[in-house]
Amino acid sequence: RRVLFRSAPSAIEAKSATLPAAIAEQKFPFSNDKVAFTLINHGMGLKDFTVNNYEDHDKNKIKLGVSDQNSLFAMRLAGAAKPLEFNVTESAPGHFVGVAQVGEMTVKRELQFNPENSSFKNTISITKPTEEIKKGFTLLLPETIHVAAHKSWLFPSYAHQDFLVGHEGKNEAV
């Protein structure tokens, strides 16, 4: 089980900014025969991501990014406690566009789900960059860690989740 997540490269200059006031929560559910998830505007993260066509050892559907406090792939500025607040629209099923205003800086994020291979294409563009973006940003991969009940060198446990992240031509397993 692998999830491919690509982000587009961008050139960034820096100035200065402050975080905006909170925006009311927006939810965009998506479902097909392979996956189901809800995109929320807080960081444009995914909640309740479920792989519909695979089951674990207990015959439960596979869930990714399981966390009570964070959502899968939510974006936040480095060092910030909370994700960016986006105003999100769904331009087509599984194609989301969000805009976050941080002081004078505008962050536009486009997240497209590809139903053919269950991957995401992520594009982030920044206009009027500020000093805060110089520190970077984070795309969260929250996960509740479950300790394997049985494992030995003869019978290793394969009940874990890998993420394949592609960025600027490099692929890395996380």
Side-chain angles (χ1 to χ4, degrees):
R1 302 177 315 248
R2 293 201 184 267
V3 175
L4 180 62
F5 191 71
R6 292 189 178 137
S7 59
S10 61
I12 297 173
E13 295 176 13
K15 292 184 184 160
S16 133
T18 57
L19 292 175
I23 296 173
E25 185 172 75
Q26 297 173 287
K27 294 182 179 185
F28 298 87
F30 177 88
S31 182
N32 67 14
D33 60 329
K34 295 180 184 175
V35 301
F37 60 84
T38 300
L39 181 127
I40 61 171
N41 64 314
H42 304 298
M44 281 188 70
L46 307 176
K47 286 290 200 183
D48 304 319
F49 192 102
T50 304
V51 180
N52 292 329
N53 54 349
Y54 287 98
E55 295 178 339
D56 63 14
H57 297 296
D58 297 325
K59 304 293 182 202
N60 297 316
K61 291 183 179 178
I62 305 295
K63 296 192 179 289
L64 305 178
V66 177
S67 173
D68 293 333
Q69 298 166 356
N70 296 304
S71 56
L72 187 61
F73 306 133
M75 181 181 179
R76 68 178 176 203
L77 295 176
K82 294 184 178 185
L84 291 174
E85 298 287 339
F86 287 89
N87 185 11
V88 179
T89 57
E90 186 173 16
S91 59
H95 185 176
F96 308 95
V97 178
V99 177
Q101 193 68 41
V102 183
E104 291 187 20
M105 178 173 65
T106 302
V107 179
K108 180 181 176 186
R109 184 172 184 197
E110 187 173 355
L111 193 61
Q112 270 183 288
F113 178 74
N114 182 339
E116 292 178 21
N117 60 10
S118 297
S119 68
F120 288 94
K121 179 180 180 186
N122 180 54
T123 305
I124 299 168
S125 56
I126 299 171
T127 55
K128 296 185 181 178
T130 62
E131 285 296 318
E132 278 77 6
I133 200 65
K134 271 186 160 179
K135 300 173 192 169
F137 61 85
T138 303
L139 297 178
L140 300 175
L141 295 174
E143 189 72 38
T144 301
I145 305 299
H146 301 282
V147 178
H150 306 288
K151 69 179 182 180
S152 75
W153 66 276
L154 291 173
F155 298 102
S157 172
Y158 295 103
H160 68 279
Q161 177 61 50
D162 290 330
F163 291 92
L164 181 62
V165 179
H167 180 69
E168 294 185 334
K170 290 184 353 183
N171 291 323
E172 181 178 344
V174 180

